[in-house]
Amino acid sequence: MRKTYFNHDSTARNDYRIIKLRATLGYEGYGIFWALLEMLFTEENKICKSQYDILAFGLQCETEKLRAVIEDFDLFVIEGDCFYSKRLNNQIEQINNKSIKAKESINKRWNKEKNIRTYNDSNTSKVNKSISKSKSIEERIEAFKNAIHAIKDISDEDKNDFFLYWTENNKSGSKFRAEMQKTFDINLRLKRWASNGFSKSQKSKFPEYYDEYTYKKLDNKGQQDYVKHLKDLGYETVYSPTAGTVWRKKHKV
C-alpha cells in the first residue's frame, strides 16, 4: 500500500471482542492485535498461519498468545491456511477509491490545462500567420503593430518601445527582428517586457565595466547598447599585441 497509515478508531477498545481480548490477555493482547493490523496492511491484508513463529519473534511475544489473538476472539477471518482483517479490507477499499478519484481529478485538470494551451497556441499561430501572409515587410510590420495594440492592460509607452525594438530590420531588409526568432508569442513577450520594465532598465542591467561573457549573451541591439553604455562611462577600446583589443577607461587630461 502506498499510504503508510490506516485509521485507528478512537473507540476500538470498547468493542465487545476487544474487551474480551483484554480481559483474557490484557493490554499485551491488545498491542499484538494492533501490531498484526499494521503487518497485514503492508502485506496486502493476507498472512499465512505458517508464519506464526516468525511473527511472534518479530513482536517479541509467545507464539501461543499470537495464535490466540488471531483465532480465538473473532477479530480476524481465517481462510484456508491464511488470515486477514475484514476491517482492513473496508479501509483499503476506501483508500483505493480515494486514489482513483484523485487520479481522475488530476486527469481532468490536466486535460483542461491542455485544452487552454492548445487554444492559446492556436490563437498565437493565427496572429503570426496573419503577419507572415502580408506581401511586403511594411505590411507585416503594420500587422505586427496592430497585434501589439490589440493586447489590453499594457501601457502605450511599453507597447511603442516593444514595437520599436522588435521591428528593427535585418541587413537585407527582408525581415524584422521578431520574425528572426524561432518562436514568438506576441502576448507573452509583451507582458514579460512590461513586467520586467525592459525598455526602462536595460542600461542599468549592464555592469560598470566590460564583461566578455555578458557581451556574448546579448543580441545585436543589446551589444550596441552595451558598447554605448561603456563609452558613456568613459571607456575606449585599445589594441594590445599580447591581449588583443581591450576596453579601458580614458585617461583624464
Side-chain angles (χ1 to χ4, degrees), residues 68-178:
V69 172
I70 296 170
E71 299 181 11
D72 295 351
F73 301 97
D74 197 28
L75 293 169
F76 298 96
V77 178
I78 309 296
E79 195 172 78
D81 293 327
C82 300
F83 68 95
Y84 69 89
S85 166
K86 188 182 292 185
R87 176 183 184 279
L88 268 187
N89 263 353
N90 295 333
Q91 290 211 11
I92 289 172
E93 186 177 353
Q94 290 176 15
I95 292 169
N96 288 336
N97 287 338
K98 285 181 180 178
S99 177
I100 291 170
K101 287 180 180 179
K103 187 175 181 180
E104 289 175 350
S105 177
I106 290 171
N107 287 336
K108 285 180 182 178
R109 186 165 66 248
W110 168 255
N111 289 332
K112 183 178 179 181
E113 291 174 356
K114 185 178 179 182
N115 289 336
I116 291 172
R117 285 198 300 272
T118 301
Y119 174 79
N120 288 339
D121 291 344
S122 175
N123 282 351
T124 300
S125 177
K126 288 176 183 177
V127 171
N128 290 339
K129 283 180 181 177
S130 68
I131 293 172
S132 63
K133 284 180 180 179
S134 301
K135 293 182 180 180
S136 68
I137 189 170
E138 289 79 13
E139 290 172 324
R140 299 200 304 274
I141 288 176
E142 185 63 26
F144 183 72
K145 182 178 182 180
N146 292 336
I148 291 171
H149 285 281
I151 298 171
K152 297 179 180 179
D153 301 323
I154 304 292
S155 70
D156 288 340
E157 181 184 0
D158 280 323
K159 288 179 180 179
N160 290 333
D161 289 339
F162 181 83
F163 171 75
L164 291 173
Y165 178 80
W166 286 109
T167 51
E168 182 183 358
N169 292 356
N170 62 4
K171 291 182 180 179
S172 64
S174 59
K175 290 183 178 181
F176 55 93
R177 189 193 299 272

Side-chain angles (χ1 to χ4, degrees), residues 208-226:
E208 301 295 303
Y209 56 89
Y210 176 73
D211 179 71
E212 185 178 4
Y213 178 73
T214 299
Y215 181 82
K216 287 181 177 179
K217 284 199 308 180
L218 298 170
D219 58 19
N220 227 7
K221 177 68 165 52
Q223 289 178 350
Q224 293 174 15
D225 290 341
Y226 189 17

Side-chain angles (χ1 to χ4, degrees), residues 185-240:
D185 186 317
I186 296 175
N187 185 52
L188 289 179
R189 292 228 185 194
L190 177 56
K191 287 181 178 178
R192 192 182 304 126
W193 173 286
S195 64
N196 290 342
F198 183 84
S199 60
K200 303 176 186 65
S201 59
Q202 170 103 3
K203 288 186 179 181
S204 65
K205 293 181 181 179
F206 295 141
E208 301 295 303
Y209 56 89
Y210 176 73
D211 179 71
E212 185 178 4
Y213 178 73
T214 299
Y215 181 82
K216 287 181 177 179
K217 284 199 308 180
L218 298 170
D219 58 19
N220 227 7
K221 177 68 165 52
Q223 289 178 350
Q224 293 174 15
D225 290 341
Y226 189 17
V227 168
K228 184 177 185 304
H229 171 69
L230 291 171
K231 288 181 177 179
D232 289 343
L233 291 173
Y235 280 88
E236 63 180 352
T237 54
V238 179
Y239 178 76
S240 166

